[in-house]
Structure formats: C-alpha cells, structure tokens
Amino acid sequence: MKFQSLLIPLFISLFVKNVTAQSFEGVWRGTSLCQVKNSPCHDENVVYYISKNSTGGFYEVVANKIVNGREDSMGTIKFIYDDRQKVFVSIDSVRNARWEFKVTGNTIKGTLVYKGDLYRIVDVKKEN
C-alpha cells in the first residue's frame, strides 16, 4: 500500500508535465505588445509556429509578425521547459533577453524582459 501511495503522485506529476509540454506545440496567433515607449519596439500581431526539435531537447518557436496582411519572419527562438516554474523559457545571455511563456489551456501569456526591463507582453491563442 505504501508503494502505491508513492507511485500516484509520481504518475500525476509526469502526466501533468507531459500534457503541458504537448500543449505547447502548434500554431498560435495573437499580439505582442510593446511596453517601452520611445523605443524601436512596436505593437505587433503575431503568429508563432511551435514544435519540438528533432532531438526532443527543446522547442523551436518560429515567430512571424503580420505586416500588410502577410506574415513576415522575425526568426526562430529556442525554448526549454522549466519544470520548477512551470513555464517555457528562452534565455539569450548575449542580448540580455529572457522570454517566458505560460500555457493555460489554449492560451499563452508571455513576457520578454530585455536588459532588465519588461519589453513585451505576449497574448496568443492556439489554432484548432
């Protein structure tokens, strides 16, 4: 009986982590809003294509913004899952930037902290 009571929390934690990680993959649309006025930053409508890389070690976010009704590539960002904080994180130490995405159902709420300042707030929804 004691062995079973130890397995149940382990099973639940593995299942919850797996569901969260799987729910990150897909096509997401929404906004990325600038928080630093008088900067090169602009509010954007965005589309993110998120997939696990071929080795399974991280996730690739192909980030596009919508310009004149068409998708314009902004590049690819690599994310890992931070199990302790329950968020997907991308850290660029060269640029002093940190992205954090929290998945709740079909919504991602995220931030970009750049050089210590909250630079962007991301709010996207998953396409079916």
Side-chain angles (χ1 to χ4, degrees):
M1 186 67 158
K2 198 173 198 179
F3 181 70
Q4 285 179 327
S5 63
L6 292 173
L7 283 180
I8 291 171
L10 176 64
F11 175 76
I12 290 170
S13 69
L14 290 173
F15 178 74
V16 169
K17 180 179 177 182
N18 193 28
V19 169
T20 302
Q22 287 177 348
S23 64
F24 192 51
E25 295 179 272
V27 179
W28 301 79
R29 293 182 186 271
T31 58
S32 178
L33 303 179
C34 185
Q35 303 301 299
V36 179
K37 304 308 175 199
N38 301 320
S39 73
C41 181
H42 298 284
D43 292 347
E44 299 167 338
N45 290 315
V46 296
V47 181
Y48 296 150
Y49 297 92
I50 302 175
S51 60
K52 202 168 207 175
N53 81 321
S54 60
T55 65
F58 58 89
Y59 293 85
E60 294 178 331
V61 176
V62 176
N64 295 342
K65 62 183 173 181
I66 306 298
V67 178
N68 297 323
R70 298 173 70 171
E71 291 184 31
D72 185 21
S73 176
M74 294 186 291
T76 302
I77 308 166
K78 294 178 182 177
F79 279 79
I80 59 167
Y81 185 68
D82 181 336
D83 191 41
R84 188 176 56 78
Q85 293 184 16
K86 308 295 187 217
V87 295
F88 292 88
V89 178
S90 178
I91 298 172
D92 182 341
S93 56
V94 173
R95 292 186 178 95
N96 194 13
R98 178 184 175 94
W99 290 92
E100 283 190 16
F101 284 173
K102 173 125 177 110
V103 179
T104 306
N106 68 343
T107 301
I108 290 176
K109 302 280 186 186
T111 59
L112 167 61
V113 174
Y114 177 66
K115 295 185 178 177
D117 294 322
L118 177 61
Y119 203 71
R120 290 192 164 278
I121 294 179
V122 173
D123 186 1
V124 294
K125 296 199 181 315
K126 191 172 193 177
E127 289 188 348
N128 293 332

